[in-house]
Amino acid sequence: MTHRHSEPIRRADALICFGVFLASFCMMALLSPGRIDIIDGQLRNEAARGLLDTGMPIIRDRLLFPLTVQGNGGLYSIYSIGSIAAGLPMVWLSTAFYDPTFEMGRFLFAFTGPLFGALSTTILFLLLRLRGHNVRQSILWSVLACMASYLLPLFTSSFEQPIHLPLIGLTLLCSLRARSDRRWMLAAGLSAGLLLTCQQSYVLVTPWLCMLGWHGWNLRRNWHATCRFALGASVGVGIVIASNVARFSALIEVPMHASHPPIFAASPIPGLLSLLFSPGKSIALYSPIVLLSLPGLWAGLRARSQTAIAISGLCATHLIFVSWLTFFGSDWAWGPRYSAPLLFTLSIFLPESTRLVSRYARQSIIGLSIVIQCLGASVDHQRFFLERDLSPYFWYEEPWYYFEHSALFTRLSEVSGMMTGGVPETAKRFNMSPYDSRTYCIFRAKRSSAIMNQFEVFYLPRPWPLWMTMTKDTVPISPLPWILGLLLGLFAGGALVRRSIMYLDQKSADVAINAEQFGQ
């Protein structure tokens, strides 16, 4: 009996995972800007294209040369090899199209964030299932964690943080599985090592990820498991070293621009208080749903849960590290971008809010969080910075800036102006970029506020299905087939999840009936 039903149920779970991934990807892709919206993404796109064409992530775009560093055989960006390689799938896909201006390539590269956002949602669903939550709860909270939090505007951007989260989630998943099967610690270490290829600073939280797979807190008792984890992580460390030696003849250290301010501040106080309480970068303000994770975390700490303790240590370590950075605000970005790992890991405690938080409070917090994420995805996030002609390193010059200014509160007037005033008559081009391109990133000018009204990008909705159908400028692609294809994928993913849940419900009912008959 058990053997006969176990395989179809596992197959149904796999179909649910695929449905969640497909629906999440299509939704995030439809909400993305369909263009590279930040210089960080432009550098990674160019490096990935160089890696695909030449085998080395060289930068060949002359406009980007001032943002590169000299290395072996050419100019390179300072991004780690993992963050660069993550763009390869979309860059490779663009080679299937005739694309002499690279507009299609940049359009597809904008789907890198949604791709890793969908992976994050799927892995979070598996994490919640592993923690014992039912299918419906796991789907609901994994989708809310990624769609009703600050993660949504991040997943629809060209920043690199969306690449990190599936690897963090996969490491969590493997470490938790390792409690029942020690062989999973090798996989957990391998995933943590791949995370280090994207950002070496994650080495600070790697011990907490390892301890998630321990039995108790005794190192001697968990020595073999720790060695397996370290062996897996060494693969990623080796990749980092090989990449840096090939590019810069350095082991770990990647050179920074000479004009860049110091990385670490004299005190973490401005950063910590800004990330917790400021109107401009508060984690809870930009993502209220994180508040629903805290009761479950606190309950776990009171029960001395190893998972709760390890996650608390991970989040505290990450928060303190980010607070000590001079650029703790992760500008130029919407909201506290560097808090994404904290939000993602805390999400595993969201389902506990159903029994620890009143229904009215839950619904109010989720509703407010959804509204805030809609605001975040509605208008180009650089408008706030360019209208104020902020200097490139304003965050270093004014560390308390976000206690006086808030992109979130300003966004209300920006959306209101977009809906009532529309696009100024002076706007003759779509994008504020040096090339005649609609998908190339925005380049900041010395007096950007004086020329912003010449470009539609700041006054049209951010999602590409909207601005491509509303712009007076030429569009880089034919949007209708892409819109229809993504909508079809969204409905197909939702239908697949629904059918799979119905199948599992029917199987559960059959098992219950058979058990009752057997008892009689």
Side-chain angles (χ1 to χ4, degrees):
M1 175 76 73
T2 302
H3 176 76
R4 189 176 65 199
H5 287 298
S6 61
E7 193 61 36
I9 289 176
R10 284 201 294 269
R11 187 164 59 246
D13 279 337
L15 290 175
I16 289 175
C17 287
F18 180 72
V20 168
F21 171 82
L22 180 61
S24 300
F25 171 75
C26 292
M27 175 62 78
M28 294 175 187
L30 286 167
L31 292 174
S32 81
R35 55 186 174 82
I36 298 176
D37 61 348
I38 191 69
I39 190 68
D40 306 45
Q42 194 65 57
L43 282 162
R44 287 190 298 106
N45 173 66
E46 179 65 18
R49 191 171 294 280
L51 184 61
L52 185 66
D53 292 343
T54 69
M56 291 292 288
I58 56 174
I59 303 295
R60 296 168 293 180
D61 186 340
R62 292 184 177 275
L63 286 177
L64 302 177
F65 284 178
L67 302 173
T68 61
V69 290
Q70 182 65 49
N72 300 327
L75 297 171
Y76 299 90
S77 73
I78 61 172
Y79 289 96
S80 297
I81 190 63
S83 294
I84 293 171
L88 284 175
M90 291 302 172
V91 172
W92 174 81
L93 183 61
S94 69
T95 61
F97 298 88
Y98 176 70
D99 190 26
T101 61
F102 299 112
E103 291 283 67
M104 176 62 76
R106 289 187 286 266
F107 170 74
L108 289 174
F109 186 83
F111 290 169
T112 301
L115 175 65
F116 284 90
L119 284 172
S120 300
T121 308
T122 307
I123 291 173
L124 184 56
F125 163 75
L126 293 173
L127 273 166
L128 296 180
R129 290 287 286 146
L130 183 62
R131 282 176 55 79
H133 302 291
N134 64 45
V135 172
R136 283 184 170 83
Q137 276 192 326
S138 299
I139 293 172
L140 173 66
W141 287 110
S142 60
V143 170
L144 284 176
C146 295
M147 297 285 189
S149 74
Y150 168 73
L151 297 180
L152 178 63
L154 189 59
F155 286 145
T156 58
S157 75
S158 301
F159 285 110
E160 66 172 320
Q161 276 65 38
I163 300 166
H164 306 167
L165 300 189
L167 293 172
I168 293 174
L170 189 58
T171 308
L172 289 172
L173 185 67
C174 293
S175 291
L176 292 176
R177 288 292 302 270
R179 293 182 183 177
S180 57
D181 185 347
R182 284 307 197 194
R183 290 174 296 181
W184 282 94
M185 284 300 280
L186 184 64
L190 182 61
S191 179
L194 293 177
L195 179 63
L196 295 178
T197 67
C198 298
Q199 186 71 259
Q200 284 84 67
S201 62
Y202 284 116
V203 71
L204 296 174
V205 301
T206 300
W208 295 109
L209 293 170
C210 178
M211 284 186 279
L212 271 168
W214 283 10
H215 286 300
W217 298 102
N218 190 308
L219 176 59
R220 182 176 297 178
R221 183 184 175 189
N222 294 282
W223 179 250
H224 291 295
T226 304
C227 289
R228 286 191 181 96
F229 186 93
L231 179 63
S234 66
V235 175
V237 174
I239 293 173
V240 171
I241 291 174
S243 168
N244 285 336
V245 168
R247 289 185 295 169
F248 306 114
S249 298
L251 293 180
I252 296 293
E253 191 109 10
V254 175
M256 296 291 288
H257 308 303
S259 60
H260 198 281
I263 294 177
F264 293 103
S267 169
I269 300 301
L272 184 61
L273 294 181
S274 296
L275 291 173
L276 293 179
F277 306 115
S278 75
K281 286 293 179 178
S282 166
I283 296 170
L285 186 62
Y286 277 83
S287 192
I289 197 172
V290 72
L291 299 175
L292 295 179
S293 299
L294 301 184
L297 177 64
W298 178 245
L301 291 174
R302 290 184 63 186
R304 298 185 179 181
S305 161
Q306 186 166 337
T307 300
I309 294 171
I311 293 296
S312 297
L314 185 154
C315 291
T317 302
H318 183 76
L319 181 61
I320 293 170
F321 170 74
V322 171
S323 300
W324 224 303
L325 299 173
T326 53
F327 44 93
F328 62 85
S330 57
D331 294 308
W332 299 21
W334 165 266
R337 172 166 55 104
Y338 295 153
S339 69
L342 185 149
L343 292 175
F344 184 77
T345 52
L346 286 176
S347 296
I348 67 174
F349 298 104
L350 280 174
E352 276 82 354
S353 66
T354 56
R355 60 183 178 83
L356 298 173
V357 181
S358 70
R359 182 178 180 182
Y360 176 77
R362 274 200 324 274
Q363 291 176 344
S364 299
I365 290 173
I366 292 171
L368 176 62
S369 203
I370 290 173
V371 169
I372 290 173
Q373 307 328 312
C374 289
L375 289 173
S378 61
V379 181
D380 186 87
H381 61 267
Q382 292 200 59
R383 176 174 172 174
F384 171 82
F385 303 99
L386 298 178
E387 279 184 334
R388 289 156 179 78
D389 288 317
L390 296 174
S391 68
Y393 303 124
F394 75 94
W395 35 264
Y396 178 68
E397 300 157 1
E398 302 179 67
W400 297 98
Y401 182 84
Y402 286 110
F403 274 94
E404 300 177 8
H405 307 273
S406 173
L408 175 57
F409 295 151
T410 305
R411 180 55 54 90
L412 296 171
S413 61
E414 291 173 352
V415 172
S416 175
M418 181 178 64
M419 296 177 65
T420 57
V423 180
E425 292 293 330
T426 53
K428 303 300 182 184
R429 289 178 54 194
F430 172 73
N431 202 357
M432 184 176 169
S433 88
Y435 293 124
D436 183 21
S437 168
R438 286 86 193 148
T439 57
Y440 201 88
C441 74
I442 294 171
F443 260 61
R444 182 181 57 87
K446 289 185 178 180
R447 288 289 297 172
S448 298
S449 61
I451 61 173
M452 282 178 62
N453 60 3
Q454 300 176 23
F455 304 96
E456 297 177 325
V457 65
F458 303 111
Y459 306 98
L460 288 176
R462 185 170 177 266
W464 65 270
L466 296 178
W467 71 256
M468 283 194 188
T469 54
M470 296 170 66
T471 181
K472 302 173 187 174
D473 205 347
T474 56
V475 294
I477 64 162
S478 178
L480 186 58
W482 290 91
I483 294 173
L484 293 177
L486 289 170
L487 285 175
L488 180 62
L490 175 62
F491 289 121
L496 186 59
V497 170
R498 183 173 180 273
R499 286 290 299 271
S500 299
I501 291 176
M502 291 172 62
Y503 176 83
L504 290 174
D505 287 344
Q506 183 61 46
K507 285 297 177 185
S508 298
D510 291 344
V511 170
I513 292 172
N514 291 336
E516 182 179 351
Q517 292 175 348
F518 181 78
Q520 291 176 351

